[in-house]
Amino acid sequence: MGYGNHKLIYLKGGVVENRPEFDAKATDKRRKNFRIMLSRYLSSPIPEMKVQIILEDESFTTQTDDYGYFSAWVEPKRDFEPGWHPVTYVINNQGGEICKAEGEFLIVAKEAQFGTISDIDDTILVSHATQLFKKFRLIMTKNAKTRLPFDGVAEFYKKLKGNDNPFFYVSSSEWNLYDFLQDFFKVRSIPKGPFLLQEYKSGLRDLLFTGGGSHQHKQEKIKRLMLLFPDLKFILIGDSGQRDTEIYRQALHEFPTRILAVYIRKIGKKDEFDRETAQEFEDKGVPLLMLENTEEALNHAQEKGFF
């Protein structure tokens, strides 16, 4: 899923081979879930592949990088209305079309009151990201139909979305899990929004340490959104397990007038904000809350008039 404003659209995808189609069912056995998750990390990216991007009657061309990714900023001649629009990706060779895939992109409405940027693991999706064994067991034995969200997330996010407010999901999950996340969000009725994920990984070790790394890429993606939508303020939602507070603090430094509130789900028993961080948010007049449950965030957002 891409995203953009009335002048500029960001589109991203990957070209891989040996990746089967996945169709998860709630009745799937652990063995099948294990095999499918494993296959997500054993597909092979294809570098230097030309990809044609088709937006209605306009066409653009890009090329995959060394890791099989392509990304493009496109400036269509026509203005797209706010909402979701289709995009087609085509790979050709001398004999003609060899692969075709459909995607979509979001044009953010000028009427949007604010946007929401949310983490996924241990913010929306119960993941145990800081406990390696529990995390690995969940990943390998469950699927999109059987993994669970935190209580109240879908209701809270729907209220934040309202009619026009966009959602963006910035996560350290890899692009390997894109189809899983799409399916999970649909099954659990969580508002649709572009996923801004960590780069594609390949191999068993990467699967074992999925969601790891410095998480600094989140800051870069948040900055991209802030610059693309300069008139839009944001609510930031994360958890205490993967440096979200520190990342959102960096965003506060760069965009001190653009953040309406920060909600952090408490993962550890002793997790609290350090005094310096709490003071900095207070000085900027931005609410910073450590939450035991989703209901606390919902009540605060309601008091603030966000919905």
Side-chain angles (χ1 to χ4, degrees):
M1 290 180 277
Y3 51 90
N5 55 35
H6 65 288
K7 293 182 179 180
L8 196 59
I9 300 168
Y10 181 75
L11 300 168
K12 184 177 178 71
V15 182
V16 297
E17 59 185 348
N18 303 322
R19 183 177 173 87
E21 293 291 332
F22 306 120
D23 182 24
K25 298 181 178 62
T27 55
D28 286 346
K29 303 296 183 183
R30 291 183 178 184
R31 183 179 298 177
K32 179 182 177 183
N33 293 333
F34 185 93
R35 188 175 67 251
I36 287 175
M37 184 57 72
L38 192 63
S39 67
R40 288 188 173 102
Y41 285 81
L42 297 180
S43 303
S44 304
I46 305 177
E48 299 181 4
M49 177 68 72
K50 287 188 177 180
V51 179
Q52 183 184 13
I53 301 170
I54 302 173
L55 297 180
E56 294 192 348
D57 57 348
E58 293 187 71
S59 178
F60 307 86
T61 301
T62 187
Q63 181 171 299
T64 60
D65 60 19
D66 291 342
Y67 302 99
Y69 286 107
F70 64 87
S71 60
W73 290 95
V74 300
E75 298 181 64
K77 295 177 182 177
R78 60 154 291 186
D79 284 342
F80 286 92
E81 294 293 321
W84 291 94
H85 299 272
V87 55
T88 302
Y89 302 104
V90 179
I91 297 173
N92 297 300
N93 64 9
Q94 294 179 348
E97 182 182 299
I98 60 172
C99 184
K100 185 177 182 179
E102 301 297 329
E104 54 189 338
F105 60 91
L106 173 67
I107 297 297
V108 174
K110 293 180 180 179
E111 296 76 20
Q113 181 186 359
F114 56 81
T116 299
I117 297 174
S118 175
D119 181 44
I120 298 176
D121 289 317
D122 284 330
T123 299
I124 298 172
L125 175 67
V126 178
S127 303
H128 303 298
T130 60
Q131 302 176 60
L132 184 60
F133 178 75
K134 281 189 174 182
K135 177 184 76 169
F136 192 68
R137 183 180 178 186
L138 269 181
I139 289 171
M140 300 308 295
T141 61
K142 302 284 187 179
N143 63 36
K145 302 293 196 300
T146 53
R147 291 285 297 273
L148 296 175
F150 286 96
D151 290 342
V153 167
E155 177 190 359
F156 177 42
Y157 282 28
K158 285 175 186 176
K159 286 182 177 293
L160 289 177
K161 183 178 185 299
N163 294 323
D164 299 306
N165 299 333
F167 265 80
F168 301 92
Y169 299 101
V170 179
S171 170
S172 287
S173 290
E174 297 86 13
W175 284 104
N176 308 60
L177 300 175
Y178 181 84
D179 67 282
F180 163 82
L181 293 173
Q182 242 186 339
D183 196 7
F184 172 81
F185 274 59
K186 184 176 180 180
V187 169
R188 300 300 175 180
S189 300
I190 298 167
K192 182 177 172 181
F195 297 118
L196 288 73
L197 307 179
Q198 197 167 196
E199 295 305 294
Y200 190 91
K201 294 184 178 180
S202 181
L204 296 177
R205 186 182 185 282
D206 287 327
L207 173 56
L208 180 62
F209 295 100
T210 176
S214 70
H215 309 292
Q216 191 57 38
H217 73 99
K218 291 183 179 180
Q219 177 62 26
E220 296 164 2
K221 292 176 172 67
I222 291 171
K223 183 175 181 178
R224 184 197 303 161
L225 292 171
M226 292 282 188
L227 295 176
L228 185 61
F229 306 109
D231 299 322
L232 195 64
K233 294 188 177 183
F234 287 91
I235 292 172
L236 308 181
I237 307 177
D239 64 82
S240 62
Q242 291 189 324
R243 294 185 54 223
D244 287 339
T245 304
E246 181 182 334
I247 290 164
Y248 295 163
R249 185 183 181 187
Q250 292 175 25
L252 183 71
H253 275 293
E254 288 194 76
F255 306 97
T257 64
R258 302 279 305 283
I259 300 173
L260 293 173
V262 174
Y263 299 125
I264 300 294
R265 184 181 296 280
K266 187 175 184 178
I267 299 302
K269 292 182 179 180
K270 298 182 180 180
D271 286 345
E272 299 293 346
F273 300 121
D274 64 73
R275 184 176 299 178
E276 184 180 346
T277 297
Q279 187 63 51
E280 189 167 347
F281 276 85
E282 185 177 339
D283 290 345
K284 295 288 194 302
V286 177
L288 173 67
L289 280 74
M290 182 75 74
L291 307 165
E292 297 281 353
N293 55 62
T294 308
E295 186 177 2
E296 293 176 20
L298 189 151
N299 290 338
H300 179 270
Q302 197 162 23
E303 290 173 5
K304 286 292 183 180
F306 297 152
F307 47 76

